[in-house]
Amino acid sequence: MTAVLAPGRFVTGDGAALHVSQSGPADSAVTLVLVHGWTQDHRTWDFVLPHLDPGLRVLRYDLRGHGGSSPARPGGATIARLADDLAELIADRVPSGPLVLAGHSMGGMTLMVLAERHPSLVASRLAGAAFVATSSGDMDKLTLGFPGLVGRSVTRFEPRVARLLARLRADTLRLRPGLVRSGARRLVFGDRPGRAQVDSVVEQLLRAHPASAGLFLDAIAAHRGVGGLGALCDVPSVVLAGEKDRLCPLPHAKVIADELPHAEFVRFPGAGHMLPQERPYEVARRIAALVRVAARR
């Protein structure tokens, strides 16, 4: 079993306190940093972690406005700020040695913007990158897979949801877990998800800070990550996509794979958006392959 160290806190340059979880030995040859997605937290990777080498150092954390981290500050709910948070966290907790980064959904977007804003970090330290159910742009055209008028209605409705959430002053979303569970099962999962996997996603969502979630929804809609992908062309990479992903559909993953000509592109039939929960062994296996390559560099 992987040893999990006591959780800690990291304070960013603009004062946001981030919840940080570490496992594995400090003298590991490679450090893996796992970055979660929108309305989730570090527990996104709970089902992946047991399939990784216990001798690997793994760093997980809650993005600002998520999980045990503080809410996003005014002007701080942007993908650029998330990328800067990641760069600061790495400088503080992993100041040397090769890195492998894996990002799910908004976490993958964070990796793209990290490469654009912190090219020296990528050039000197990054030895592998995994893009898990994510997108490099056009999220403002999201239809959730619905055709025609219904799909166009979804596209128009999402900004309204973002504004509604951004105006909320509660610390958490006050929704019935059963209702959220039913919605999550249909929207973000593929075929036959397990109850534990769905419950994990719901628990994380209900812990996210509502106003931060709304502001980040706008940030996702505005995301354009192709420039960052250009800086990653020589980094060993993998692009993982669920064929039934409604949030970051398969064509979005194909765009990323096309921008990274040396990346492995893996499609999972029957899987939806939550690949770390739906296909944890396969996700871990692809990440572990990147770690092995990084250890030989």
Side-chain angles (χ1 to χ4, degrees), residues 70-227:
S70 60
R73 291 170 173 263
T78 66
I79 309 297
R81 183 62 250 187
L82 294 183
D84 292 347
D85 288 350
L86 177 55
E88 291 177 18
L89 180 64
I90 289 170
D92 183 80
R93 299 298 173 93
V94 199
S96 62
L99 297 164
V100 172
L101 305 180
H104 173 248
S105 195
M106 189 169 72
M109 300 174 194
T110 300
L111 303 192
M112 298 172 204
V113 179
L114 176 79
E116 193 166 21
R117 292 175 66 85
H118 301 275
S120 61
L121 171 62
V122 169
S124 63
R125 303 281 308 283
L126 190 58
F131 297 94
V132 184
T134 188
S135 172
S136 63
D138 286 338
M139 292 295 287
D140 53 338
K141 301 173 184 175
L142 192 66
T143 67
L144 300 181
F146 294 107
L149 179 61
V150 176
R152 291 192 294 273
S153 297
V154 169
T155 301
R156 292 193 297 268
F157 184 63
E158 185 175 294
R160 299 177 188 176
V161 173
R163 289 193 295 271
L164 175 63
L165 289 171
R167 289 197 295 266
L168 294 180
R169 294 294 173 260
D171 291 332
T172 57
L173 284 169
R174 295 169 183 172
L175 299 173
R176 293 171 55 189
L179 180 64
V180 179
R181 186 179 298 111
S182 177
R185 181 183 293 274
R186 289 170 171 76
L187 182 61
V188 301
F189 284 93
D191 297 337
R192 297 183 297 278
R195 176 64 182 257
Q197 286 73 21
V198 176
D199 284 350
S200 173
V201 168
V202 170
E203 289 168 7
Q204 293 171 64
L205 184 151
L206 292 176
R207 198 181 178 196
H209 184 252
S212 299
L215 294 170
F216 276 120
L217 194 55
D218 277 339
I220 290 171
H223 170 65
R224 299 293 183 269
V226 172

Side-chain angles (χ1 to χ4, degrees), residues 4-29:
V4 179
L5 306 179
R9 305 286 280 179
F10 172 73
V11 180
T12 67
D14 69 344
L18 306 183
H19 173 92
V20 181
S21 175
Q22 300 181 73
S23 61
D27 61 352
S28 174

